[in-house]
Amino acid sequence: MEKIIIYEIKGLYRDSFRITGFEFGMGQKSLCIVGSMRGNEVQQLYCCSQLVKKFRQLEEEGRISPNVKILIIPCCNPYSMNTQKRFWTIDNTDINRMFPGYDLGETTQRIANGIFSQIKDYDYGIQFTSFYMPGEFVPHVRLMDEGYSDIKTALKFGLPFVVKRTVRPYDTATLNYNWQVWDTKAYSIYTSTTSRIDKKSAGQAVLSILRFCKSLGFVKYHEKGEHLTKVISDKELISVRTAKPGIFEPLVKVGESVDEGTPLADIINPYDGSVMETLYAPRDGTLFFMHSDPITYAETAVIKMV
């Protein structure tokens, strides 16, 4: 294992800003794994830390194939993580809306450029990312439906779901989209949580990447069992919306199978404790996403089913 500096901004009065990577193996740039890009993506950082530990073991045991280089970048935004801000602390911009970056631009554009110049030539790219809304997911892999990536490769992760998502205008400035423009097959991994560590779903994510690497011949790794994956489109997800704002009290858990009419959550009056609204399952299915903040607005998609 070699620890390298991916990008650095010299600090005038405090320590420098550094993005650190860990390289395993030698030769062809085969796989790059990127962790937290926002300051609250603690689970994504944790997953990468576990992968660094696992790949270091695999390398020491000689189980990384010849002519395979794997790069892991656990965190691209240590400043925001230290100050517990989701976006860049100075101007509230999102590094994952700045790719491929610009070396003479604003700070987050220069950071994106510095990262991308180091990782754009890899054959495969995996990003641990998070949803724009606070909540918990069923672990799954996502890919863009018009990109260079493909379903057949996504199935190699063995996660419960593969989600094909429609490309939106803002996607053109994300890492996943730009990786594919530069002929990297890119996939986004969603684990259950973002701002807190969930060891079970982190373990699922680590195993899914080891499974992926094994199927592509990058590592020697033994695993038994069959992993069934359902392929869906993001258009198939059914949103359950609130009619009223208030305290959000879930009555079921993410991943549960429910029948049509099952009570899913109550919206509580924050002043007198009365139930203002109960949300029901619109059909039989599985809870794919659940809002996790204690308060919700009205007209908000707090639950998604599949």
Side-chain angles (χ1 to χ4, degrees), residues 89-264:
T89 54
I90 308 301
D91 57 10
N92 209 35
T93 53
D94 185 357
I95 295 174
N96 201 32
R97 296 290 182 273
M98 295 294 170
F99 286 93
Y102 177 43
D103 61 353
L104 299 177
E106 297 296 328
T107 307
T108 43
Q109 291 177 307
R110 285 186 282 131
I111 293 171
N113 175 264
I115 298 169
F116 198 64
S117 64
Q118 298 292 318
I119 67 175
K120 62 181 173 60
D121 296 323
Y122 279 79
D123 296 332
Y124 296 89
I126 299 171
Q127 183 185 7
F128 282 94
T129 189
S130 63
F131 201 47
Y132 70 95
M133 289 172 57
E136 296 190 9
F137 272 110
V138 172
H140 65 279
V141 56
R142 290 192 183 207
L143 70 161
M144 297 180 185
D145 61 358
E146 298 175 6
Y148 183 59
S149 311
D150 59 79
I151 295 290
K152 184 178 178 182
T153 308
L155 291 172
K156 296 180 186 299
F157 289 96
L159 286 171
F161 290 94
V162 169
V163 179
K164 288 189 301 178
R165 62 181 297 270
T166 306
V167 176
R168 296 175 175 82
Y170 61 78
D171 286 320
T172 58
T174 62
L175 171 60
N176 190 307
Y177 184 94
N178 282 278
W179 248 338
Q180 296 182 79
V181 172
W182 266 259
D183 294 342
T184 295
K185 289 192 175 184
Y187 302 90
S188 299
I189 299 285
Y190 285 76
T191 66
S192 293
T193 59
T194 299
S195 57
R196 68 175 178 84
I197 293 172
D198 181 279
K199 289 191 174 182
K200 182 180 177 181
S201 66
Q204 276 184 283
V206 169
L207 278 175
S208 74
I209 288 181
L210 293 173
R211 205 176 290 137
F212 179 83
C213 290
K214 175 194 170 188
S215 67
L216 292 173
F218 294 164
V219 300
K220 295 175 184 173
Y221 185 75
H222 303 289
E223 188 197 34
K224 295 181 179 178
E226 187 179 5
H227 304 281
L228 300 177
T229 300
K230 185 175 182 180
V231 180
I232 62 171
S233 162
D234 60 345
K235 295 176 182 174
E236 296 177 49
L237 295 172
I238 299 171
S239 296
V240 180
R241 293 180 173 275
T242 56
K244 299 177 182 297
I247 293 175
F248 180 76
E249 188 173 86
L251 303 174
V252 291
K253 293 182 179 179
V254 168
E256 278 189 37
S257 295
V258 296
D259 298 327
E260 180 180 335
T262 302
L264 302 178

